[in-house]
Amino acid sequence: MEVIRLEGIHKTYSDSGVPVHALRGIDLSIAQGEFTVIAGPSGSGKTTLLNIAGALDTPTEGNVFFTGEDIGEKSRNEVASIRLEKLGFVFQAYNLIPVLTAMENIEFTMMLLGIDEKSRHERARQIMRELDIAQLADKRPNEMSGGQQQRVAVARAIVNNPSIILADEPTANLDSETGATLLDLMQQMNREHKLTFVFSSHDQHVIDRAQRLILLRDGVIEQDESL
Amino acid sequence: MLFTIAWRNIWRNRRRSLIIMVSVIVGVSAVMVNDGLMVGMIHQMLDNQIGSHVSHIQIHAKGFNANPVVQNVIPERQRVERALEGTAGIRDWSRRNVSFGLLSSARNSAGGRIVGVEADNETAITSIHASIIDGKYLSGKPREMLLGRRMAEKLKVGPGDKVVGMASAMSGDVGSELFRVVGIYETLSSEFDKGYVFTSLEDTRNMLELGDNVLEYAVIVENLDDIEHVTQKLRETLGAEYEVLSYADLLPLLVAQVELYGQMMYIIYVIIGLAMIFGIVNTMLMSVFERIQEFGVLMAIGMKNSYVFRMVMIEALLLALIGTGAGILLGIAMLLPLGTIGIDLSIFAESLTSFGAGAIIYPRLTINSIVSVVLIIPVTALLGALYPALKATRLQPVTAIRYV
């Protein structure tokens, strides 16, 4: 089943007055259960592509379909609802809410969905046990290592059972061992729960684990192959 | 959880939050003390007027208040006294004669109100008997007179000296009487002390040729809240031949001043609130700008604008509520002892006594003051937070996340 489809995506930045073409005609479809890596050198448009696929940014031209719906026609609040209910994000800098504990960070999106406190606690505890971070429940981000924070970020991303998880350079700030452990975890989630992962990365360790590799260069897809 | 986040965010930058809270605390407590001081002063003026002469209710013949001439006597004394005895809620009443007249001593003359009172009954109505600073209160003997300190100074007399009183009598002739000063009184109002002299009811009856007539009844009710009710009841009982006036009718300017002040205080509250708005705008803007990336993340994971807006507003509300709560406590802590000890404003004594307030003001803590700050300060804080909150909702997730 198709989760995301991008049709004729162009993205041009003109912040400095000089137009920069970050994406130039991207056509792409991501299916349920894929473990996809978007790779490419710096400036190739990986993050821009991920942001557009995740409805964080809008294309200058082209359409983004999420489970068949054109999100270009949605209001800001409707798009926020799609991000909340169907998308999970894992950021390079973890981006946990600093004033909340690990448990509260994981519960936060459930709170936004209006899930009651008891159910939130149960679900958060279950996810934390699965990701082996139960002992971090009461710790705040500044009391955790980078790897621990990123695990909590993964827990936050998957807790609402999203259709797809978009991870932007998730291992870039981690040492190779911690990064590998995190990737193991994500692969396990992909295998066991059929969770769809799309990574943007130029880390070879990430690329090596890809089931599908999309190579971007200068804003166009140079290569798209299943491995 | 929004409250939790908002609460913890407040304490992320303790110094900044404490500064804005302290400014709210100082503003709230200062406005409460100012309010208490003004309310205390105005009530002192009112209490002094009521306690020195006006009383709660006065009864006259119709038209006496506008035209206080001796011919305007109470039509049926017994009828009034039956009404006073038969009306519930009245604590005490006393007969009076009041007339404008001229007072002359061997050294000087001055105009004033000559008030004839029943010496014993009057002690239950006014506090003149307790305001004697030299000599003694009226004993009931003939031709005794009490003068206010300012009047005595003007006439250059003291206890034991003689004073001649002259006023227009019932017949239209000038009635006169020789009085002996038995005491000098001083109230909190120098203007009152300059204008009112007291003698016995009988002496004024003789001087003004009133026979056994009376010009005024002064009434004190048991419960202040019942004044209007008792006034109305007496009006109904006595009918159109009489005028029954409450202190509010007799002191319209002072009562208007109380009401005017009440409205002016709201303006002061709004001014304090407006000053606070800028502090809140500044604090919340700084708070939003410091967390642009965080807002970006929150939006990226699905937080809607309404939640972002609410989060900023809750933070501002919490700051204001904490500041207001602590400010009220500080205000109460200052007002309670000051209400007993008083604030000595002797350096303004002359002007204060001319207003009838006294040199020591006893501030009053009013529920109205607390309710006003509780309503106005948090609302102004929310108004101040509107701009930063709207600013936060206008952030674009993708640019906000990258913001450093």
Side-chain angles (χ1 to χ4, degrees):
Chain A
M1 191 185 103
E2 184 183 74
V3 181
I4 291 176
R5 188 169 82 250
L6 307 179
E7 286 182 358
I9 299 295
H10 287 260
K11 182 68 182 180
T12 305
Y13 295 108
S14 49
D15 298 345
S16 57
V18 182
V20 176
H21 302 287
L23 297 175
R24 295 184 290 183
I26 300 284
D27 292 302
L28 180 66
S29 174
I30 305 288
Q32 178 77 42
E34 280 188 14
F35 198 85
T36 301
V37 176
I38 300 168
S42 292
S44 60
K46 303 187 294 293
T47 298
T48 303
L49 180 57
L50 211 64
N51 286 338
I52 288 173
L56 291 177
D57 203 356
T58 49
T60 312
E61 198 183 318
N63 299 92
V64 180
F65 295 90
F66 199 87
T67 57
E69 287 183 283
D70 186 350
I71 60 170
E73 293 171 357
K74 306 278 183 193
S75 69
R76 195 175 153 128
N77 266 347
E78 286 170 330
V79 174
S81 290
I82 289 172
R83 285 200 298 265
L84 176 63
E85 292 164 23
K86 297 180 177 174
L87 286 160
F89 289 93
V90 179
F91 303 98
Q92 179 181 339
Y94 330 129
N95 287 341
L96 298 176
I97 303 168
V99 293
L100 296 182
T101 63
M103 177 100 158
E104 289 166 339
N105 263 289
I106 295 165
E107 280 186 45
F108 187 72
T109 52
M110 288 191 279
M111 184 277 290
L112 294 177
L113 278 174
I115 297 170
D116 67 89
E117 196 174 338
K118 191 177 170 220
S119 307
R120 289 202 313 251
H121 285 340
E122 282 173 12
R123 174 72 178 142
R125 283 203 190 92
Q126 179 202 341
I127 291 284
M128 291 181 93
R129 275 195 302 272
E130 278 184 43
L131 300 190
D132 197 22
I133 50 173
Q135 73 284 2
L136 302 175
D138 297 325
K139 291 197 185 296
R140 290 203 189 177
N142 62 356
E143 298 168 322
M144 293 184 266
S145 68
Q148 288 172 327
Q149 286 188 62
Q150 199 60 302
R151 275 173 175 251
V152 174
V154 171
R156 177 178 69 180
I158 65 175
V159 74
N160 285 342
N161 295 317
S163 306
I164 189 166
I165 290 147
L166 302 170
D168 185 14
E169 310 263 13
T171 57
N173 287 357
L174 304 177
D175 60 68
S176 53
E177 191 182 334
T178 310
T181 312
L182 188 79
L183 289 170
D184 287 345
L185 182 74
M186 289 171 155
Q187 268 190 317
Q188 186 189 340
M189 307 296 292
N190 171 254
R191 271 196 311 271
E192 293 175 4
H193 301 289
K194 299 292 176 208
L195 276 175
T196 312
F197 282 88
V198 177
F199 297 83
S200 85
S201 183
H202 48 50
D203 179 351
Q204 194 56 46
H205 295 100
V206 179
I207 295 167
D208 287 346
R209 291 169 189 254
Q211 293 170 2
R212 180 184 174 189
L213 179 65
I214 297 165
L215 193 61
L216 273 185
R217 188 178 298 277
D218 298 330
V220 293
I221 294 175
E222 194 178 68
Q223 182 188 328
D224 182 356
E225 60 177 339
S226 295
L227 304 169
Chain B
M1 194 176 273
L2 278 185
F3 268 97
T4 307
I5 297 175
W7 174 257
R8 290 178 190 169
N9 274 331
I10 286 175
W11 302 111
R12 281 168 83 169
N13 193 326
R14 279 171 197 270
R15 190 190 301 177
R16 191 177 58 216
S17 295
L18 285 172
I19 286 172
I20 188 70
M21 278 181 204
V22 167
S23 71
V24 175
I25 291 167
V26 170
V28 166
S29 56
V31 84
M32 278 179 70
V33 170
N34 179 58
D35 193 16
L37 193 65
M38 296 305 286
V39 169
M41 190 165 78
I42 288 173
H43 277 91
Q44 271 174 242
M45 288 161 68
L46 200 56
D47 291 347
N48 189 40
Q49 288 276 352
I50 291 170
S52 54
H53 179 67
V54 173
S55 71
H56 292 153
I57 300 167
Q58 288 183 7
I59 302 171
H60 312 120
K62 184 78 180 169
F64 181 85
N65 195 46
N67 183 27
V69 292
V70 289
Q71 289 78 9
N72 220 349
V73 294
I74 296 278
E76 278 186 77
R77 224 162 40 83
Q78 290 76 11
R79 188 175 166 198
V80 174
E81 288 170 17
R82 276 198 306 275
L84 289 169
E85 292 300 329
T87 303
I90 292 174
R91 196 189 74 198
D92 291 293
W93 57 270
S94 182
R95 302 175 189 92
R96 285 175 178 171
N97 287 322
V98 184
S99 177
F100 283 105
L102 181 71
L103 294 151
S104 301
S105 69
R107 297 177 184 175
N108 210 345
S109 298
R113 277 194 181 208
I114 301 168
V115 185
V117 298
E118 296 172 301
D120 288 344
N121 289 354
E122 191 67 20
T123 58
I125 306 293
T126 61
S127 57
I128 291 299
H129 64 285
S131 309
I132 305 295
I133 56 167
D134 195 6
K136 58 175 186 167
Y137 181 63
L138 302 171
S139 65
K141 288 179 186 168
R143 297 188 192 86
E144 290 179 336
M145 183 168 268
L146 283 181
L147 300 182
R149 185 177 65 84
R150 296 282 295 272
M151 174 67 90
E153 283 171 1
K154 185 158 190 189
L155 296 177
K156 297 186 174 73
V157 293
D161 292 336
K162 291 174 187 169
V163 170
V164 174
M166 287 185 288
S168 180
M170 190 82 158
S171 61
D173 295 337
V174 174
S176 65
E177 193 69 77
L178 177 68
F179 297 96
R180 191 169 293 278
V181 176
V182 292
I184 310 294
Y185 72 85
E186 183 174 23
T187 66
L188 295 176
S189 168
S190 57
E191 287 302 306
F192 183 84
D193 298 351
K194 199 162 65 179
Y196 283 75
V197 300
F198 294 87
T199 183
S200 73
L201 190 73
E202 279 309 308
D203 289 336
T204 50
R205 275 175 169 164
N206 294 336
M207 187 174 80
L208 303 174
E209 300 168 0
L210 286 169
D212 64 349
N213 281 310
V214 168
L215 293 169
E216 178 178 291
Y217 283 87
V219 181
I220 291 290
V221 299
E222 286 170 353
N223 189 339
L224 291 177
D225 297 333
D226 292 339
I227 292 175
E228 281 311 310
H229 171 73
V230 173
T231 305
Q232 194 53 40
K233 194 79 186 160
L234 287 170
R235 276 180 193 149
E236 288 165 12
T237 309
L238 292 172
E241 277 186 290
Y242 300 85
E243 62 184 17
V244 182
L245 304 170
S246 71
Y247 74 91
D249 304 315
L250 293 159
L251 301 167
L253 280 176
L254 203 49
V255 172
Q257 205 175 340
V258 174
E259 286 169 9
L260 179 68
Y261 173 71
Q263 287 157 9
M264 275 176 60
M265 263 323 285
Y266 285 111
I267 296 172
I268 293 171
Y269 285 128
V270 170
I271 291 169
I272 294 275
L274 282 175
M276 210 187 69
I277 278 182
F278 292 102
I280 293 282
V281 169
N282 180 51
T283 301
M284 295 315 297
L285 265 183
M286 290 289 287
S287 176
V288 167
F289 281 135
E290 276 176 8
R291 290 186 285 148
I292 284 180
Q293 196 212 22
E294 208 171 300
F295 282 115
V297 173
L298 291 170
M299 288 170 162
I301 62 176
M303 196 177 200
K304 289 180 184 168
N305 282 348
S306 57
Y307 272 96
V308 173
F309 182 82
R310 263 187 275 169
M311 202 164 87
V312 177
M313 296 299 273
I314 290 170
E315 282 179 37
L317 185 65
L318 285 174
L319 279 172
L321 286 178
I322 296 168
T324 304
I328 288 172
L329 290 178
L330 183 62
I332 292 172
M334 288 194 283
L335 280 172
L336 284 182
L338 286 175
T340 311
I341 303 164
I343 299 175
D344 191 347
L345 298 175
S346 301
I347 50 169
F348 308 115
E350 195 163 337
S351 55
L352 284 169
T353 51
S354 70
F355 278 112
I360 296 177
I361 306 293
Y362 296 90
R364 285 191 184 194
L365 175 63
T366 61
I367 294 295
N368 188 43
S369 170
I370 295 173
V371 170
S372 299
V373 293
V374 165
L375 290 178
I376 293 172
I377 304 300
V379 169
T380 50
L382 288 176
L383 287 175
L386 272 178
Y387 175 64
L390 287 172
K391 193 97 183 156
T393 61
R394 285 179 190 150
L395 294 170
Q396 294 298 325
V398 71
T399 45
I401 287 175
R402 286 200 299 258
Y403 189 86
V404 180

